[in-house]
């Protein structure tokens, strides 16, 4: 993919070059392991450049006539978006706020969001996903995953549900409390079966084995009814020593959930350590291996497991070596980009630990959903990518994972 030099893009390209060569850069988001010398080598300091001030035209391998547009700026670590039926968008920020974007105008933080624990032991706790109920047009239910304050600088991964009254959330209640602290990312999706699937991350250190503890929700995907209760057919319900809502286990840090539109399977992205990001197809009751089985290495280079594939543990459908800091995901089903149909798009914070390599990746599959090829996109922006969603209009919407974050849109030209 390349940005094209045309009359709109020329000033942008110049601005990008000028930003990348400026002696003093304003900001850079570091990963938690880079802030502690004992966890990893010192980070590369290379601050994030400014986004283009005008739309940028670019090409991809199979859709050539593309345009990137910045829809909203100055979001504080935006995490997720939900599309309201009236055309507005809800955007979560990790600092604990939800904002609405309507007709190009970004609102102040909306009322009704529960108190959120931000920061935490590695600085990554806060407000996470926002998802509308499939019957939102009738019930107006909005779901949030967040870290609920439970102690001094501690937050537990929690699912809340509220009602959208057109300007704010009302009647907000916690409907599932995992009790799992020292966790990070959490995502939601409604499956084809009408159930909620929710990721609960685990601490990333391979020496911490909570993902394999059946009496701990950390490192698990849970399956719930829309009121937060546990369905009668969950695989570990009534099994001694197991938390009842566990659907799958052995996960590290789940950053996306999406439903395959053809098979109905729930797919999940998962960040590895240094290498070993995974895209997994979730099967009830299965174990995905972390920290016993991984393609990744620790941050000093040592392999984490002698064999990355071991009987009794599920293999990933796609793996990344080196890691791209895998984040959000969407299946493209729209008509605006016909050559992208059946492609999966994923976000990435950076590749191989190098700043300014955040990207959107397009993955092409065969008829059996086996990977054929991948294409990195948007790397020229130098931005960390947090999420990607297909909008009701068939366009792609992208969130950058920055302290001065933004909402972008990819559209045809």
């Amino acid at each position: 993919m390349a940005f094209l030099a045309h009359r709109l893009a020329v000033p942008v390209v110049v601005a990008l070059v000028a930003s990348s060569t400026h002696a003093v850069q304003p900001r850079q988001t570091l990963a938690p392991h880079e802030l502690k010398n004992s966890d990893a080598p010192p980070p590369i300091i290379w601050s994030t450049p400014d986004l283009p001030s005008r739309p940028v035209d670019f090409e991809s391998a199979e859709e050539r006539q593309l345009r990137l547009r910045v829809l909203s700026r100055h979001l504080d670590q935006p995490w997720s978006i939900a599309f309201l039926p009236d055309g507005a968008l809800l955007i979560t920020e990790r600092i604990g706020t939800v904002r609405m974007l309507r007709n190009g105008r970004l609102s102040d933080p909306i009322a009704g969001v529960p108190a959120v624990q931000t920061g935490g032991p590695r600085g990554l706790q806060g407000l996470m996903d926002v998802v509308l109920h499939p019957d939102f047009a009738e019930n107006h239910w909005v779901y949030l995953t967040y870290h609920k304050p439970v102690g001094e600088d501690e937050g537990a991964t929690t699912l809340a549900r509220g009602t959208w009254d057109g300007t704010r959330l009302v009647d907000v209640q916690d409907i599932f409390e995992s009790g799992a602290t020292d966790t990070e990312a959490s995502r939601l999706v409604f499956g084809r079966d009408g159930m909620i699937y929710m990721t609960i991350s685990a601490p990333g250190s391979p020496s911490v084995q909570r993902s394999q503890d059946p009496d701990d929700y950390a490192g698990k995907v849970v399956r719930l009814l829309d009121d937060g209760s546990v369905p009668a057919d969950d695989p570990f319900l009534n099994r001694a020593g197991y938390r009842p809502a566990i659907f799958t286990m052995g996960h590290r840090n789940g950053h996306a959930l999406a439903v395959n539109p053809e098979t109905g399977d729930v797919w999940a992205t998962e960040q590895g350590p240094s290498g070993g990001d995974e895209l997994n197809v979730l099967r009830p009751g299965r174990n995905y291996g972390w920290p016993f089985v991984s393609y990744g290495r620790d941050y000093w280079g040592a392999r984490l497991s002698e064999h990355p594939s071991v009987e009794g543990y599920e293999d990933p459908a796609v793996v990344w070596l080196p890691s791209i800091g895998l984040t959000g995901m969407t299946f493209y089903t729209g008509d605006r980009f016909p050559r992208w149909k059946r492609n999966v798009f994923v976000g990435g914070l950076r590749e191989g630990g190098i700043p300014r390599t955040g990207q959107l990746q397009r993955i092409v599959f065969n008829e059996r959903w086996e990977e054929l090829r991948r294409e990195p996109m948007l790397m020229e922006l130098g931005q960390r990518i947090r999420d990607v969603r297909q909008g009701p209009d068939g366009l792609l919407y992208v969130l950058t994972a920055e302290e001065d974050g933004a909402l972008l849109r990819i559209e045809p030209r």
Side-chain angles (χ1 to χ4, degrees), residues 395-410:
L395 303 178
L396 287 178
Y397 292 76
V398 178
L399 287 175
T400 67
E402 305 289 352
E403 304 298 332
D404 187 12
L407 174 64
L408 317 176
R409 185 174 68 199
I410 298 174

Side-chain angles (χ1 to χ4, degrees), residues 69 71 81 83-85 87-89 332-337 389-398 407-412:
R69 190 182 302 275
L71 298 184
I81 55 178
F83 300 91
L84 294 170
L89 290 81
Y332 189 73
T333 61
D335 297 322
R336 304 296 297 276
F337 308 109
R389 301 289 175 111
Q390 178 183 317
D393 54 8
L395 303 178
L396 287 178
Y397 292 76
V398 178
L407 174 64
L408 317 176
R409 185 174 68 199
I410 298 174
E411 55 195 45

Side-chain angles (χ1 to χ4, degrees), residues 80-82 129-133 141-144 188-190 389:
S80 182
I81 55 178
D129 216 352
V130 56
V131 170
L132 308 185
H133 190 280
W141 285 344
V142 176
Y143 293 79
L144 301 171
L188 290 176
V189 74
F190 275 89
R389 301 289 175 111

Side-chain angles (χ1 to χ4, degrees), residues 77-265:
Q77 287 291 352
W79 236 87
S80 182
I81 55 178
F83 300 91
L84 294 170
D86 64 3
L89 290 81
L90 298 180
I91 306 172
T92 59
E93 297 175 297
R94 197 171 64 196
I95 58 171
T97 55
V98 177
R99 304 174 78 177
M100 180 170 60
L101 183 69
R102 184 189 299 278
N103 298 324
R105 299 187 65 178
L106 188 66
S107 74
D108 292 332
I110 67 169
V113 177
V116 175
Q117 168 64 45
T118 58
R122 287 173 298 279
L124 295 178
Q125 294 191 341
L127 181 59
M128 302 289 166
D129 216 352
V130 56
V131 170
L132 308 185
H133 190 280
D135 296 325
F136 177 85
E138 288 75 41
N139 59 35
H140 306 292
W141 285 344
V142 176
Y143 293 79
L144 301 171
T145 56
Y146 75 105
H147 290 92
K148 181 177 182 176
V150 295
E152 187 175 349
D153 201 30
E154 283 194 325
T157 304
T158 302
L159 173 62
R161 185 181 73 186
T163 301
W164 178 248
D165 75 353
T167 60
R168 59 178 181 163
L169 290 170
V170 298
D171 302 324
V172 178
Q173 298 179 349
D174 296 330
I175 61 171
F176 177 77
E177 299 189 49
S178 72
T181 61
D182 200 18
T183 56
E184 295 174 8
S186 181
R187 287 286 188 185
L188 290 176
V189 74
F190 275 89
R192 189 177 286 180
D193 56 3
M195 301 296 168
I196 295 171
Y197 295 80
M198 172 180 170
T199 67
I200 303 172
S201 70
S205 170
S207 64
V208 179
Q209 299 182 2
R210 293 174 61 188
S211 297
Q212 296 296 329
D213 182 354
D215 194 31
D216 186 345
Y217 277 124
K220 314 299 191 298
V221 174
V222 299
R223 179 172 176 264
L224 306 165
L225 293 166
D226 65 1
D227 64 359
S229 61
V230 181
D233 59 347
D234 267 11
F236 297 107
L237 183 65
N238 299 321
R239 185 181 296 192
Y242 283 75
R243 293 294 177 100
I246 293 174
F247 184 70
T248 58
M249 59 191 298
H251 301 286
R252 184 175 183 266
N253 199 358
H255 271 264
L257 290 171
V259 176
N260 184 312
E262 292 184 5
T263 67
D265 294 329

Side-chain angles (χ1 to χ4, degrees), residues 31 34 42 92 137 156 162 177 179 186 198 207 243 266 283 305 325-327 332 343 354 367 389:
E34 295 176 321
T92 59
E177 299 189 49
S186 181
M198 172 180 170
S207 64
R243 293 294 177 100
V266 178
R283 308 293 185 197
S305 55
L326 194 60
T327 53
Y332 189 73
N343 292 180
I354 304 300
E367 68 279 0
R389 301 289 175 111

